[in-house]
Amino acid sequence: MNTQLAFDLQTRPALGREDFFVSPTNALAVATLAAPETWPNGKMALIGQKGAGKTHLAHVFAAETGASIIAATTLKTADIAALADHPIVVENVADIAADQAAQTALFHLHNLVLANGAPLLVTDRLAPNRWALSLPDLASRMVGTAVTKLDPPDDSLLSAVLLKLFADRQSPVDPSVIPYLVSRMERDLGHAGNLVSALDRAALARKKAVTRPLAAEILDAYFA
């Protein structure tokens, strides 16, 4: 009898420092965010494609500095003076390229937080000179921000993350599965979490360990 499997592909991300693996693709960014006192003019832009680990590293930075994290799109309704009292992370700045009110709020936040001597971290997929901000004063300040970059995860980082995710679920996995997945999956840490979730559920339903044939089946069915 065929068994229909339901896969919950939305997993709760682990965003603690102990869950963040350092590899050559992120070591410089990790070191840069660990020393905000060295940032030129007290600010830094963290950039990298989706799945490179920006959100996770921003949460590590926030945990270690007491920073608040806010999406750029919500700045126009935020209490800017209160945010500027301590370190702040503003995520996805390019998302406000067409939002004059949010850009104005970020401009004031930029000036206030730096005047208060607190570090400002801004994030996006692209470098600041490609954010297409329409407020000239804000655009010039963002373009003048130093940049640190997260490259897509390499094989060693993906392998470490997959092993940790399987271990967290106490999911038995054939050793050959890890390199098999790494050579075929997206270079995306969020994708790794969804993939392990799907494999774990499939293995539990069949009362077996995660094997290469099962990995091939799940990749083809859900992640092609």
Side-chain angles (χ1 to χ4, degrees), residues 155-180:
D155 287 0
S156 64
L157 179 54
L158 283 175
S159 297
V161 168
L162 288 169
L163 285 168
K164 175 69 163 54
L165 291 170
F166 279 119
D168 286 347
R169 290 175 173 270
Q170 298 183 331
S171 181
V173 56
D174 187 286
S176 66
V177 168
I178 301 301
Y180 179 83

Side-chain angles (χ1 to χ4, degrees), residues 111-193:
N111 293 343
L112 281 173
V113 72
L114 298 186
N116 289 339
L120 169 66
L121 177 65
V122 290
T123 78
D124 202 79
R125 294 185 304 107
L126 304 174
N129 62 352
R130 299 180 62 188
W131 291 350
L133 298 172
S134 58
L135 187 65
D137 287 341
L138 176 63
S140 65
R141 283 161 173 76
M142 292 295 100
V143 170
T145 303
V147 172
T148 189
K149 183 180 180 182
L150 285 173
D151 290 320
D154 57 13
D155 287 0
S156 64
L157 179 54
L158 283 175
S159 297
V161 168
L162 288 169
L163 285 168
K164 175 69 163 54
L165 291 170
F166 279 119
D168 286 347
R169 290 175 173 270
Q170 298 183 331
S171 181
V173 56
D174 187 286
S176 66
V177 168
I178 301 301
Y180 179 83
L181 293 175
V182 166
S183 66
R184 290 163 175 80
M185 65 183 288
E186 296 177 18
R187 300 273 137 175
D188 183 320
L189 298 179
H191 176 79

Side-chain angles (χ1 to χ4, degrees), residues 3-7 166 168-173 196-211 214 218:
T3 301
Q4 185 174 2
L5 301 178
F7 294 104
F166 279 119
D168 286 347
R169 290 175 173 270
Q170 298 183 331
S171 181
V173 56
V196 169
S197 176
L199 285 164
D200 181 55
R201 287 175 177 269
L204 286 172
R206 301 177 192 195
K207 295 182 170 63
K208 61 187 294 186
V210 177
T211 61
L214 180 60
I218 298 303

